[in-house]
Every structure is written in C-alpha cells, then in structure tokens.
Amino acid sequence: MAQQYRITLLPGDGIGPEIIPVAVDALTVVGNQFGFKLTFQEGLVGGAAIDATGNPLPEETLELCRNSDSVLLAAIGGYKWDNLPRHQRPETGLLGLRAGLGLFANLRPATILPQLIDASTLKREIVEGVDIMVVRELTGGVYFGQPKGVFETETGEKRGVNTMAYTDSEIDRIGKVAFETAQKRGGKLCSVDKANVLEVSQLWRDRITAMSSQYPDVELSHLYVDNAAMQLVRAPKQFDTIVTGNLFGDILSDAAAMLTGSIGMLPSASLGADGPGVYEPVHGSAPDIAGQDKANPLAQVLSAAMMLRYDLDQAQAADRIEKAVMTVLDRGYRTGDIMSEGMKLVGCQEMSDALMAALEE
Ligand code: IPM
Ligand code: MG
C-alpha cells in the first residue's frame, strides 16, 4: 500500500487561507507523482481561533497536531487582535504551539535566488551567492524564562520582567541540531551570543565550544550579537550556518531574510526531538493585502517542500516542488512583493496556476 501521511493545516489569519490551498495542491500533485498519499485536516489557530473559541490555541488544535505526521502553518495575527490581553493574542497561540509540540529547533534558510537578486536592497556583489541557515532556539530563552510578568514594586511603581535563561541540556540539544546542520551544508557554524555581558550567553558559549570536539569537520566561530547583526549586512557571504538563542534568532533571522530582498519567498521548519514538525513561511499574515488575491504563495509552497524533506522523508518530491518554484520565477511570474521591471505581475491564483503547470510538466 502507498505510504500515507496525515497533515494538519493551520491557515490562521490574513493571507493564510489564500496561500495554504496552493501548498495543498502542490503536495497533492507530487504525492501522485511519487506514489504517496496525503490526507489533510484543518485546525484553528491565532485570530481565527480567538474569534471562534476565545482561545488562540484551542486544546483540540494541539491534539490534532500531535496526532498528525506533520503540520503546515500559514501565519497568524492582525490589527483586529492587537489590543487584546496577552493570553488572548494570536502570538500567544503560536508560542503555545511551539511549546506544546516541543519545537525547540527553528531552521530558517536565507538563500538568495538568482532570479530575485535585484529585489534585495543590498548591492548585487554583496548578496550574490548568499546561502545562510539560521538555527534558532525556539522554546527557551527570554521568551519563556521565569519569572516573567509586570509586578508592582514597594514604591508602587510597575516593573516589567522577563528572564533570559538556558540550561545545559537546552543548549546541547540545539547545538547538536546546529552542528549536524552545518555538517550537511558548508561545514561552518557561527554561534551568536552576548557573552561579553550576559551570564546565560557565557554558558551558551562554553557548551557550544565543548561540543565542537565531537564535530571535527565543522569549523566553529563565535560572534557577539551586535557584531553579527553588522556582519550580516556588511558581508553576509561569510556565514554558512548560524546558531543562536530565541530572541537573537528572532531578530537575526529577519535581517537575514531581508538580504534576499523577498521575505515572501522564505520557508521555515520548527522541529522537536520527535513528533511532527511545524512548517511555515517566515512572512506574516499580511492583513493589508488579505482577501485581495495579491499574496505570494511561494514561501508556503517552499515550506511544504521542507516538510516533505524533514518530516516525511520524501526528498525527491521536495526537489520537484523547489524546481517548479524556480521554473515559474524563470518564466517571469511575480507577485507584487517580488515584482521588478519587465516581469509579469500576477496574483495568488495565477501564481498557483503557473506553479501547477510547472509541476505537471
Ligand atoms: C517569528 C515571529 C514570532 C516570534 C512572533 C509572531 C511571536 O516574530 O516567528 O519570528 O517572535 O517568534
Ligand atoms: Mg520574528
């Protein structure tokens, strides 16, 4: 019998419901081509879940995810929910999903596509050939450390507190993912921290350094986060794989994404020790263009390709999707976010049609 996979879809908010179907169609086509079958079930998360249930991550959604082989998420958030109390914010749902599924490793590739070089705000010679993988720790650090909250002091003043904390084991497990990722790529790993100021970063640096003897084929370096931010825009080609904590990774992965000029093209994978991963585009829910057939579905489609590669072990099908994305770009199809002179401006639906045509060829 053909291999079967159960996929949970979390369209979320904004352009999510427009781009998820494009990825589903692409997955279905390659499933037929490579002889595996996918079944899809849909769950609520983010603002959509708040509207329906009052909770940005209903228990039912988490259960659905746990009982599937993999999860494809679009994006969450929008103006409508921005002023709700924190426990009812879409972002809280996303953090709950990461914590609930134990997704401690977030892989965010930033690869310059030759067709889109001119979309970068940096000079061609700086970005041509950039191929970076940011490995961001995703369930620890200052996002989750205790204590956290806004407390009243003895003088009646309010004091907001978050705690940046990492344990040995949290550092070791993300370090392992990062070293192994670097091994499969260019063999260079740069660990980013703030060890000149923060104790938690000193521990991070010590642990990562200690691990490096197990990976003699990986060249390890360290940068302070401020310098890393500068180097990323000054000379990004020096980087191969970057490993860093949750907050630094949040910031640096956005900067790395923008090197490519097109955040609308970047996929990501969030992985745990076992169980399903969550695959999502790096871009957000883009509420300003939602429902207007303007969204770029390609990052969602490339996220589905990452899912095939990492969770479902269907590398050939992943290659097929990635190749089809290159084909539509070569043919000049561009959504507004990646549009440049002389190219053919299309909406989400037309991009989808072009992609399916390329996949079926
Ligand atoms: C990201 C986002 C999230 C984060 C937000 C939406 C909670 O910025 O995935 O990078 O900060 O992790
Ligand atoms: Mg972010």
Side-chain angles (χ1 to χ4, degrees):
M1 217 180 75
Q3 183 78 47
Q4 294 228 16
Y5 304 106
R6 196 198 309 211
I7 310 300
T8 296
L9 304 172
L10 303 177
D13 307 318
I15 58 172
E18 294 166 69
I19 59 178
I20 280 273
V22 185
V24 168
D25 288 349
L27 284 167
T28 306
V29 170
V30 295
N32 290 335
Q33 289 172 339
F34 291 91
F36 58 89
K37 194 168 157 36
L38 301 135
T39 56
F40 299 98
Q41 46 189 21
E42 210 169 297
L44 287 168
V45 71
I50 296 171
D51 287 351
T53 71
N55 178 351
L57 181 66
E59 187 51 40
E60 199 187 328
T61 297
L62 206 48
E63 269 313 299
L64 215 55
C65 294
R66 287 198 179 109
N67 291 322
S68 56
D69 294 301
S70 197
V71 179
L72 192 65
L73 169 68
I76 52 112
Y79 318 121
K80 187 176 162 192
W81 307 281
D82 275 350
N83 295 315
L84 291 172
R86 186 157 303 281
H87 70 277
Q88 284 180 359
R89 294 260 280 266
E91 290 78 3
T92 304
L94 183 59
L95 296 179
L97 187 66
R98 291 171 180 171
L101 295 177
L103 306 172
F104 67 87
N106 183 213
L107 272 48
R108 297 190 166 181
T111 310
I112 285 269
L113 302 177
Q115 300 94 331
L116 299 180
I117 282 192
D118 294 322
S120 178
T121 48
L122 296 188
K123 294 193 191 99
R124 172 178 280 269
E125 59 269 29
I126 303 288
V127 293
E128 196 159 33
V130 162
D131 179 7
I132 300 173
M133 178 71 87
V134 179
V135 179
R136 169 189 177 192
E137 200 290 327
L138 204 58
T139 52
V142 70
Y143 274 53
F144 290 92
Q146 294 289 347
K148 69 193 290 178
V150 177
F151 305 100
E152 197 152 320
T153 66
E154 279 162 20
T155 63
E157 205 182 13
K158 284 207 205 82
R159 184 159 182 268
V161 178
N162 290 90
T163 302
M164 191 186 280
Y166 276 112
T167 59
D168 287 347
S169 56
E170 285 176 316
I171 300 166
D172 292 356
R173 67 181 182 177
I174 191 71
K176 180 167 186 284
V177 171
F179 275 106
E180 289 175 2
T181 302
Q183 267 177 333
K184 289 183 213 141
R185 291 173 41 89
K188 277 169 58 181
L189 179 63
C190 179
S191 173
V192 174
D193 60 38
K194 190 70 187 173
N196 51 345
V197 177
L198 303 176
E199 282 78 4
V200 54
S201 278
Q202 189 60 55
L203 180 67
W204 177 283
R205 189 174 283 223
D206 293 347
R207 297 300 295 192
I208 298 283
T209 304
M211 291 181 83
S212 70
S213 61
Q214 297 166 49
Y215 303 92
D217 49 341
V218 175
E219 182 194 319
L220 175 67
S221 62
H222 303 273
L223 281 181
Y224 299 134
V225 62
D226 49 350
N227 189 17
M230 183 173 74
Q231 297 300 333
L232 260 180
V233 289
R234 189 188 74 86
K237 274 181 265 188
Q238 68 187 286
F239 295 105
D240 169 33
T241 306
I242 292 175
V243 63
T244 189
N246 206 341
L247 178 63
F248 300 157
D250 178 46
I251 300 165
L252 294 181
S253 64
D254 264 27
M258 211 48 219
L259 296 172
T260 70
S262 46
I263 198 163
M265 292 298 300
L266 297 173
S268 76
S270 302
L271 311 172
D274 44 35
V278 172
Y279 296 80
E280 62 181 300
V282 169
H283 63 68
S285 57
D288 53 321
I289 59 163
Q292 302 169 39
D293 191 31
K294 286 184 179 164
N296 180 354
L298 296 179
Q300 185 75 67
V301 169
L302 291 170
S303 300
M306 271 187 113
M307 163 162 123
L308 288 168
R309 199 180 299 287
Y310 289 93
D311 260 1
L312 310 185
D313 221 11
Q314 295 284 352
Q316 278 184 309
D319 288 345
R320 186 88 192 84
I321 288 185
E322 285 163 359
K323 204 172 138 237
V325 169
M326 294 308 124
T327 302
V328 296
L329 294 176
D330 286 338
R331 290 180 179 160
Y333 293 100
R334 299 285 188 277
T335 43
D337 58 311
I338 51 173
M339 183 59 190
S340 61
E341 222 185 296
M343 297 295 142
K344 183 172 160 45
L345 181 65
V346 294
C348 185
Q349 187 56 52
E350 229 183 310
M351 184 60 103
S352 171
D353 295 344
L355 182 76
M356 294 319 140
L359 271 178
E360 306 265 18
E361 275 160 20

